[in-house]
Amino acid sequence: MSRYERNFPAFSEEDFERIQHATVCVVGCGGLGGYIIEMLARVGIGSLILIDGDVFEDSNQNRQIFATEKNLGTPKAKAAAARVKLINKEVTTTCYHDFLNEDNGLALIGEADLVVDALDNVPARLTLQTLCKEKNIPLIHGAIGGWFAQVTTVFPEDDTLSRLYAGEKEYDSKALGNPSFTPALAASLEVSEALKVLTGKEEILRNKLLYIDLLANDFFTFNI
């Protein structure tokens, strides 16, 4: 199909078949999540599960790709699902206007093959890691603040986020600001990692943290 012809040869036919049969759960449909959802839908992911209990407000418009002047007050998950249908009707979409927690998380994640973290606080991320461990599925983590971003890939047996955020139970995502370009960059890297995991690529950020300083134009990879 001509829609997907530019996916090749970056992906093989076998890779793309895996992508088209995969279900990815994106938790958070705002700054990071909006770009993640857009890219996964365009590349041809099979199914998306979209989770976010928030609604769009004025302050989202500087960076959240699905936020417009006309949809303020609209649930983010529902807006994300509507956007997916506009750009790729082949993608099966399920959306939940709920905040994921320990009680509802397993049900909301459902039968996803992989989860992408687009959250904005440490406690929720640690809860998500626990849920993915119970589900025995990989988790792609991304976080932003100001000119800085980080990405890592967490397999069920790794507990990477517990080590990464040891002693840091509270994090103010607004402290460094949230310009438009940082979530777009981090989301691209998260989608790249997600597709590599789904297609069995070995060059992933497992037990590693990719840290980006856009002010200094530095990209560092640390072992965790």
XYZ file of all heavy atoms in Angstrom, residues 26 28-41 62-66 179-188 191:
220
model
N -0.553 3.785 25.172
C 0.097 5.062 25.487
C -0.611 5.654 26.696
O -1.811 5.937 26.647
C 0.036 6.044 24.298
C 0.764 7.340 24.647
C 0.642 5.413 23.044
N -1.037 8.695 28.883
C -0.828 10.133 28.805
C -0.981 10.582 27.366
O -0.269 10.093 26.482
N -1.908 11.492 27.102
C -2.187 11.929 25.727
C -1.942 13.421 25.552
O -2.563 14.077 24.711
C -3.631 11.594 25.351
S -4.025 9.832 25.459
N -1.014 13.963 26.348
C -0.726 15.392 26.299
C 0.514 15.717 25.497
O 0.585 15.444 24.304
N 1.529 16.309 26.159
C 2.726 16.768 25.461
C 3.491 15.651 24.788
O 3.621 15.603 23.557
N 4.017 14.730 25.571
C 4.699 13.567 25.011
C 3.724 12.670 24.254
O 3.973 12.258 23.120
C 5.360 12.753 26.123
C 6.670 13.263 26.720
C 7.004 12.474 27.977
C 7.787 13.153 25.705
N 2.603 12.372 24.895
C 1.668 11.406 24.352
C 1.106 11.787 22.996
O 0.944 10.929 22.120
N 0.811 13.062 22.796
C 0.250 13.484 21.524
C 1.160 13.161 20.355
O 0.728 12.602 19.339
N 2.427 13.496 20.491
C 3.391 13.212 19.418
C 3.600 11.712 19.252
O 3.734 11.211 18.127
C 4.724 13.896 19.711
C 4.692 15.392 19.548
C 4.653 16.235 20.656
C 4.704 15.978 18.291
C 4.631 17.620 20.517
C 4.671 17.360 18.130
C 4.634 18.177 19.246
O 4.603 19.541 19.100
N 3.654 10.988 20.362
C 3.819 9.532 20.305
C 2.670 8.894 19.528
O 2.872 8.067 18.634
C 3.903 8.941 21.729
C 5.223 9.350 22.391
C 3.761 7.419 21.698
C 5.243 9.131 23.899
N 1.455 9.274 19.863
C 0.264 8.724 19.220
C 0.252 9.059 17.733
O -0.032 8.204 16.880
C -1.006 9.245 19.917
C -1.080 8.688 21.344
C -2.261 8.892 19.125
C -1.982 9.478 22.267
N 0.559 10.299 17.407
C 0.592 10.731 16.007
C 1.555 9.872 15.193
O 1.225 9.393 14.094
C 1.006 12.201 15.938
C 1.104 12.780 14.538
C -0.178 13.417 14.045
O -1.150 13.511 14.826
O -0.205 13.819 12.864
N 2.756 9.666 15.720
C 3.777 8.922 14.971
C 3.443 7.441 14.859
O 3.642 6.829 13.802
C 5.145 9.135 15.618
C 5.730 10.504 15.341
S 7.381 10.734 16.044
C 6.961 11.301 17.693
N 2.946 6.844 15.940
C 2.576 5.431 15.882
C 1.448 5.195 14.891
O 1.450 4.210 14.146
C 2.180 4.934 17.275
C 3.312 4.739 18.274
C 2.748 4.414 19.659
C 4.285 3.647 17.823
N 0.474 6.094 14.864
C -0.632 5.954 13.922
C -0.150 6.088 12.484
O -0.566 5.329 11.599
C -1.711 6.995 14.215
N 0.746 25.468 24.041
C 2.099 25.786 23.570
C 2.871 24.564 23.102
O 3.893 24.693 22.429
C 2.897 26.500 24.671
C 3.451 25.534 25.709
O 2.726 24.674 26.216
N 4.724 25.666 26.031
N 2.397 23.326 23.449
C 3.221 22.152 23.163
C 2.428 20.884 22.850
O 3.006 19.922 22.331
C 4.140 21.853 24.357
C 3.376 21.350 25.581
C 4.155 21.422 26.857
N 3.408 20.876 27.977
C 2.408 21.504 28.601
N 2.031 22.705 28.205
N 1.801 20.947 29.626
N 1.165 20.823 23.194
C 0.413 19.573 23.038
C -0.272 19.568 21.672
O -1.174 20.347 21.416
C -0.582 19.398 24.183
C 0.129 19.290 25.525
C -0.758 18.852 26.661
O -1.871 18.354 26.458
N -0.276 19.017 27.888
N 0.166 18.666 20.810
C -0.180 18.711 19.395
C -1.679 18.570 19.134
O -2.190 19.060 18.128
C 0.622 17.639 18.625
C 0.520 17.856 17.123
C 0.180 16.230 19.019
C 1.462 16.990 16.318
N -2.417 17.939 20.046
C -3.854 17.775 19.843
C -4.667 18.909 20.468
O -5.884 18.959 20.307
C -4.336 16.437 20.420
C -3.689 15.233 19.777
C -3.480 14.077 20.507
C -3.291 15.258 18.450
C -2.889 12.965 19.922
C -2.700 14.159 17.856
C -2.494 13.005 18.594
N 8.670 23.785 26.852
C 8.553 24.347 25.500
C 8.083 23.292 24.504
O 8.038 22.102 24.810
C 9.982 24.814 25.189
C 10.848 23.930 26.018
C 10.075 23.646 27.280
N 7.764 23.726 23.293
C 7.141 22.824 22.322
C 8.077 21.769 21.763
O 7.652 20.658 21.428
C 6.567 23.640 21.155
O 7.609 24.329 20.487
N 9.363 22.074 21.667
C 10.268 21.186 20.943
C 10.758 20.004 21.765
O 11.078 18.954 21.204
C 11.484 21.984 20.424
C 12.132 22.863 21.461
C 13.101 22.368 22.311
C 11.753 24.200 21.575
C 13.700 23.175 23.266
C 12.344 25.019 22.525
C 13.319 24.511 23.383
N 10.828 20.133 23.095
C 11.373 19.038 23.906
C 10.471 17.806 23.901
O 10.969 16.693 23.713
C 11.625 19.511 25.351
O 12.165 20.827 25.332
C 12.596 18.575 26.050
N 9.162 17.935 24.095
C 8.320 16.733 24.022
C 8.328 16.089 22.643
O 8.265 14.862 22.527
C 6.922 17.231 24.411
C 6.964 18.703 24.260
C 8.371 19.115 24.534
N 8.421 16.898 21.591
C 8.458 16.330 20.243
C 9.703 15.465 20.053
O 9.635 14.371 19.477
C 8.424 17.443 19.193
N 10.836 15.944 20.563
C 12.083 15.180 20.449
C 12.016 13.899 21.276
O 12.321 12.806 20.777
C 13.266 16.029 20.915
C 14.600 15.298 21.046
C 15.071 14.779 19.702
C 15.653 16.197 21.674
N 11.633 14.020 22.533
C 11.575 12.837 23.405
C 10.579 11.810 22.879
O 10.833 10.599 22.918
C 11.206 13.257 24.828
N 9.453 12.280 22.361
C 8.449 11.374 21.808
C 9.003 10.610 20.612
O 8.754 9.406 20.461
C 7.201 12.151 21.396
N 9.760 11.276 19.760
C 10.369 10.604 18.607
C 11.278 9.472 19.058
O 11.273 8.378 18.481
C 11.164 11.603 17.767
O 10.332 12.566 17.186
N 9.170 6.551 20.421
C 8.568 5.781 19.340
C 9.618 4.910 18.657
O 9.372 3.741 18.344
C 7.878 6.715 18.317
C 7.465 5.943 17.068
C 6.664 7.375 18.952
